Amino acid sequence: MPSIELVSLVGASLLLISVFSSKLATKVGIPSLLFFLLTGWLIGEFGGPELRSPEIAKFIGDFALIFILFTGGLDSHWPNIRPVLWQGLCLSTIGVFITMLLLGSFAWFILGSFSTFSLGVHGITLTQGLLLAAIVSSTDAAAVFSVLRSSQIALKGKLQPLLELESSSNDPMAVLLTVTLLNYSTGGDAAFLEGGMFLVLQLLIGIAVGYAAGRFMVWLLNRLGLSSAGLYAIASIALVLLTYSGATFMHGNGFLAVYVAGIVAGNREVVHQHYISAFHDSFAWLMQIIMFLTLGMLSVPYRAELSSLASVAVAISLFLMFVARPLSVFISLFWAKIGFKEKLLVSWVGLRGSVPIVLATFPLAAGIKDAGEIFVLISFIVVMSVLIQGFTLSTLARWLGLAEKK
């Protein structure tokens, strides 16, 4: 068993490497999650602990996701959201669903038929194709805005709050679709109607529990009368975990519940509000670092599959960026008074990030067929999205005349 000194040394080194790589990522202009993933991969590749347990990775990812989503809700300010509420909700629900249908059908075609003869990889069913697409259907707020911050630009008009709302609120929809399709995949004879009812039930219970928990959180924190601000932060952690577990035990979606609770709590006066918000921002960063180091180590056992899946992953990534995402945006916002250039930029600001990689551990933990291939494909799609869309986002915004200096 390793000594506490060795564990402390390794842990401190990894955290410092992650912090400095985040600084480097800001200068380069790409989200730091790539560096975290690369660090985890290098650890497993060159003599470090190689993680082979999807269950452990999923547990760590789930725990991290609870606080990442809560912090996303906590940072969503109602005055900024209100003018673009319906546009953002359409993108985060209808847009995610359309992306899943289009990308899932394409993945099923290319992996189910063409790839069998030309690329030598296993075919997948339509349900597995939709599952893959559901996992990667949400955009990442942290990835989008780290690129904007590093480029020293702001988007004109209501584009910034619209993208903030969409990328913060579409994760629960992706989680709902992923869990529903995963239950269908492992349930054998489950009907799609039952899956749809399960989705609606999880949605309604998650929203209801989240709203009630957010109001209770505000009420309790304002009446605790504790002697230290740090104790309020600890109490908020307990309340977030209570919200997630309560919604899950009631057969609702716990991830959606904590996000809604974050929105409710973040838009009301709470004692030591700034301290609690800063604490959760730091805690969410810690969760992201631990999560991506873990997922980077998990990817090492599946590196052999990368060569056979690379061409398919490129094709799926390009289809997502140039077909599925733009179509989902234009269809979702056909009614909105938003110009063509604005819709075009929203289509391109579809960076994938932390949530898809966490969700990619769900099929691994469930032991479904070809789960390893799905994990590799998702990881590749996220990396391609961040590299291609991340590096070109500020250039496209300037070219369209939708960027301004901060």
Side-chain angles (χ1 to χ4, degrees):
M1 183 175 179
S3 65
I4 184 65
E5 294 85 0
L6 180 60
V7 172
S8 299
L9 177 62
V10 173
S13 301
L14 290 177
L15 288 177
L16 284 174
I17 289 171
S18 301
V19 169
F20 287 125
S21 61
S22 177
K23 182 178 178 64
L24 176 63
T26 301
K27 287 186 176 181
V28 174
I30 60 174
S32 51
L33 68 91
L34 281 183
F35 288 89
F36 300 158
L37 276 173
L38 179 61
T39 302
W41 182 81
L42 290 174
I43 291 168
E45 186 70 27
F46 296 105
E50 182 181 297
L51 184 62
R52 291 185 175 273
S53 173
E55 292 80 11
I56 294 176
K58 181 180 179 298
F59 178 84
I60 294 173
D62 284 351
F63 189 82
L65 197 55
I66 291 170
F67 291 97
I68 292 170
L69 289 175
F70 177 77
T71 304
L74 206 61
D75 293 337
S76 299
H77 302 296
W78 182 247
N80 297 332
I81 291 174
R82 186 185 301 159
V84 293
L85 178 63
W86 293 111
Q87 295 97 314
L89 290 179
C90 282
L91 286 172
S92 61
T93 53
I94 298 172
V96 168
F97 188 74
I98 293 173
T99 299
M100 181 196 71
L101 290 179
L102 293 173
L103 187 64
S105 301
F106 180 77
W108 172 58
F109 168 74
I110 195 170
L111 279 169
S113 55
F114 176 76
S115 61
T116 303
F117 300 103
S118 303
L119 301 174
V121 297
H122 300 297
I124 61 173
T125 65
L126 176 59
T127 303
Q128 289 174 321
L130 292 174
L131 176 62
L132 184 153
I135 290 171
V136 81
S137 60
S138 68
T139 60
D140 188 84
V144 170
F145 290 102
S146 64
V147 170
L148 292 176
R149 280 194 300 270
S150 62
S151 304
Q152 296 297 309
I153 64 170
L155 300 180
K156 292 182 178 178
K158 298 176 181 177
L159 277 175
Q160 194 123 342
L162 173 61
L163 291 168
E164 180 180 358
L165 174 60
E166 184 217 356
S167 55
S168 298
S169 62
N170 59 13
D171 293 336
M173 182 66 176
V175 174
L176 284 168
L177 291 173
T178 299
V179 172
T180 302
L181 286 165
L182 194 58
N183 287 342
Y184 178 79
S185 298
T186 56
D189 298 328
F192 274 110
L193 180 59
E194 293 177 4
M197 292 175 63
F198 172 78
L199 177 64
V200 172
L201 185 65
Q202 284 226 317
L203 183 69
L204 294 177
I205 294 176
I207 292 173
V209 172
Y211 180 78
R215 294 295 298 265
F216 176 72
M217 192 179 299
V218 172
W219 178 86
L220 183 62
L221 291 176
N222 285 334
R223 285 163 177 78
L224 279 176
L226 300 173
S227 58
S228 169
L231 291 174
Y232 284 93
I234 295 173
S236 69
I237 289 179
L239 291 169
V240 171
L241 293 174
L242 187 63
T243 301
Y244 174 81
S245 57
T248 304
F249 285 137
M250 294 173 65
H251 303 290
N253 186 270
F255 296 110
L256 179 60
V258 295
Y259 176 71
V260 172
I263 293 178
V264 174
N267 286 278
R268 283 171 170 77
E269 290 294 329
V270 181
V271 63
H272 297 297
Q273 188 166 27
H274 295 297
Y275 177 84
I276 292 173
S277 296
F279 171 83
H280 277 282
D281 182 62
S282 300
F283 195 65
W285 269 109
L286 177 62
M287 290 295 99
Q288 285 193 68
I289 291 172
I290 293 173
M291 176 178 68
F292 282 115
L293 290 175
T294 302
L295 294 174
M297 288 187 284
L298 180 65
S299 66
V300 173
Y302 300 100
R303 63 186 179 276
E305 299 181 24
L306 181 59
S307 57
S308 62
L309 289 170
S311 350
V312 178
V314 169
I316 294 175
S317 300
L318 294 177
F319 184 87
L320 173 62
M321 286 185 275
F322 290 100
V323 181
R325 168 68 178 178
L327 279 176
S328 69
V329 169
F330 277 86
I331 293 173
S332 302
L333 298 179
F334 79 95
W335 56 273
K337 294 180 180 178
I338 300 176
F340 178 80
K341 288 184 178 180
E342 285 78 4
K343 291 179 181 177
L344 191 62
L345 185 62
V346 171
S347 300
W348 193 243
V349 187
L351 279 74
R352 314 293 139 169
S354 57
V355 174
I357 298 181
V358 174
L359 294 181
T361 64
F362 285 28
L364 284 172
I368 72 167
K369 182 184 176 184
D370 298 327
E373 292 184 355
I374 291 176
F375 181 82
V376 171
L377 285 170
I378 296 299
S379 301
F380 199 101
I381 290 168
V382 169
V383 171
M384 275 199 67
S385 171
V386 172
L387 287 177
I388 295 176
Q389 293 173 297
F391 275 120
T392 58
L393 172 57
S394 58
T395 303
L396 179 63
R398 292 189 183 98
W399 182 70
L400 293 173
L402 298 173
E404 56 188 10
K405 289 266 185 181
K406 284 187 178 180

